[in-house]
Amino acid sequence: QVQLVESGGGSVGPGGSLILSCVASGSIDSGYCLGWFRQTPGNDEKKREGVAFFKTGTGTTYYSPPVKGRFTLSKDGVKNTLFLTMNNVQPEDTGIYYCAAESCPSCAANNCYIMTPRDYNWWGQGTQVTVSS
């Protein structure tokens, strides 16, 4: 059983930065996809957009094109926490950000990105990010 708890959302102006945290409980040290998805206004949970992905064990990452170069993943192994550092945020980054996890020992990080939200079994409660001037 995996439990995920996000924090760190808030309001920020365009060009600003935020750091989101996802604390994971359960045995996910290896063979798991950990991902950040966002749900933008007007879209339901089926249309959550995959943003950034981390493969536990290998430590490899994958970023979606809209955020590549602006967002960065890092993981604190001791605290079992996945961080998403968001730099140069823009209004289109506004949404509810969810942390998700799924067991996939054979997956590479880019496979974690290709998987749909329905493929992920464990989800956090979400944290709101609002970017406006």
Side-chain angles (χ1 to χ4, degrees):
Q1 186 71 16
V2 177
Q3 291 184 322
L4 305 168
V5 179
E6 306 99 332
S7 62
S11 296
V12 64
S17 298
L18 278 174
I19 300 177
L20 306 185
S21 302
C22 172
V23 179
S25 62
S27 183
I28 59 168
D29 291 341
S30 181
Y32 275 77
C33 290
L34 291 179
W36 285 98
F37 289 81
R38 63 189 179 192
Q39 185 170 335
T40 53
N43 288 315
D44 62 24
E45 61 181 19
K46 296 180 182 178
K47 294 186 177 179
R48 289 177 182 171
E49 174 192 2
V51 172
F53 295 86
F54 185 98
K55 181 69 190 298
T56 66
T58 63
T60 52
T61 57
Y62 187 90
Y63 302 92
S64 67
V67 308
K68 189 174 183 179
R70 300 187 298 123
F71 292 9
T72 304
L73 286 168
S74 58
K75 189 172 181 292
D76 182 331
V78 175
K79 297 181 180 179
N80 224 18
T81 302
L82 182 69
F83 298 99
L84 180 67
T85 300
M86 308 166 62
N87 292 321
N88 190 25
V89 294
Q90 300 300 317
E92 53 266 33
D93 295 319
T94 293
I96 303 173
Y97 282 69
Y98 294 90
C99 182
E102 180 57 41
S103 173
C104 193
S106 63
C107 286
N110 63 310
N111 299 129
C112 302
Y113 167 70
I114 293 171
M115 290 162 56
T116 68
R118 192 168 52 182
D119 295 322
Y120 282 79
N121 267 314
W122 294 285
W123 292 85
Q125 81 287 355
T127 185
Q128 176 71 45
V129 171
T130 303
V131 183
S132 65
S133 55

